[in-house]
Amino acid sequence: MLVICGTGSGCYSFDHNGHLSRTGGWGPTIGDPGSGTELGKRLLRQAMSDIEAGLVTPFTLSLETVFDDEYSSSSFSVPLLVDKVYQSGFNVATLAPVLLNLAVDSHVARGHLEAECASLSEQIVRLARVLKTKSPTVKLTGVLNANSLFSEVLSKAITSCLPESSVRVSKHKPVQGALFL
C-alpha cells in the first residue's frame, strides 16, 4: 500500500487480481486529509479565528513571514487575509511547513496535525478493508513524509487503527516511490 502526502494525498494499492484500488485523492475542493492543502487550511483557519478573537498567537505571527512582511500581526484582519488568499491565487499548501514547525512546540498545532493524520489513517483502513487485510505493509511517500514529525504522527495514527500493519517511510522521491508500487 502506498500513501502519498504532498499538496494532496491519496492511498493506492493493487488487489490480488492486479487491479488498482485507491481511497482518497479527492482534490482540494472536496479535501485530501493529511495533505499540505488541508494542513495549510487548518493554519489559516486557526490564525483567522485568533485574529477575530483579538489574539496575537504563534499562528498569527507566522503569517508575517508567509506574506513577506507585507502585513504585520497588528494590521492583519480576516477580510485582508481572505482577499490575499482568494484574489492572488495563493497556494494554501505552502503553509503546511509552517504548521509543522509550529507543531513542534504548540499543542494546538500538534492537535491539528494529529487530526489530519487520523483522517488520513481512516482512508488507509478503508483501503485495507477493500484489500481484505488487517496487516498491510504501508509505505509513506511524498514531501510531507520527508518531515520526521509528520511521518511519526501519521505512523502512530496508522498503527493505532491497524495494529498489525507495518509502516515504512520511503527514502525515495514521490515519483520513484510510485514506481515501486
Side-chain angles (χ1 to χ4, degrees):
M1 187 180 301
L2 185 67
V3 178
I4 303 172
C5 300
T7 301
S9 68
C11 309
Y12 307 87
S13 187
F14 289 101
D15 65 18
H16 298 293
N17 296 319
H19 296 103
L20 181 65
S21 296
R22 65 178 273 185
T23 55
W26 303 326
T29 301
I30 298 170
D32 284 330
S35 69
T37 300
E38 295 304 313
L39 293 175
K41 286 178 183 177
R42 280 185 174 267
L43 181 124
L44 264 179
R45 285 191 299 263
Q46 182 67 53
M48 293 164 91
S49 295
D50 292 348
I51 290 167
E52 287 177 337
L55 302 172
V56 175
T57 68
F59 293 95
T60 61
L61 293 172
S62 70
L63 295 180
E64 288 181 20
T65 57
V66 170
F67 292 112
D68 299 323
D69 297 324
E70 191 173 332
Y71 308 107
S72 70
S73 57
S74 61
S75 68
F76 274 126
S77 69
V78 170
L80 193 67
L81 283 173
V82 169
D83 287 347
K84 179 74 175 165
V85 169
Y86 286 109
Q87 290 179 3
S88 69
F90 180 74
N91 181 359
V92 178
T94 61
L95 297 174
V98 178
L99 182 75
L100 291 171
N101 286 336
L102 289 174
V104 171
D105 297 316
S106 164
H107 70 280
V108 174
R110 177 82 180 227
H112 288 303
L113 174 58
E114 289 171 349
E116 285 301 318
C117 288
S119 293
L120 181 54
S121 68
E122 291 170 13
Q123 288 185 350
I124 296 164
V125 168
R126 288 197 305 276
L127 186 55
R129 283 188 191 128
V130 168
L131 300 172
K132 297 182 171 105
T133 181
K134 292 181 180 181
S135 57
T137 297
V138 181
K139 188 117 182 196
L140 307 178
T141 189
V143 294
L144 289 178
N145 283 305
N147 178 285
S148 60
L149 179 60
F150 181 88
S151 60
E152 171 191 317
V153 172
L154 180 55
S155 295
K156 184 177 177 183
I158 294 167
T159 56
S160 161
C161 295
L162 293 166
E164 298 174 39
S165 65
S166 168
V167 181
R168 296 184 311 217
V169 179
S170 176
K171 294 177 176 51
H172 301 285
K173 292 182 180 181
V175 171
Q176 294 167 318
L179 293 174
F180 292 116
L181 179 61

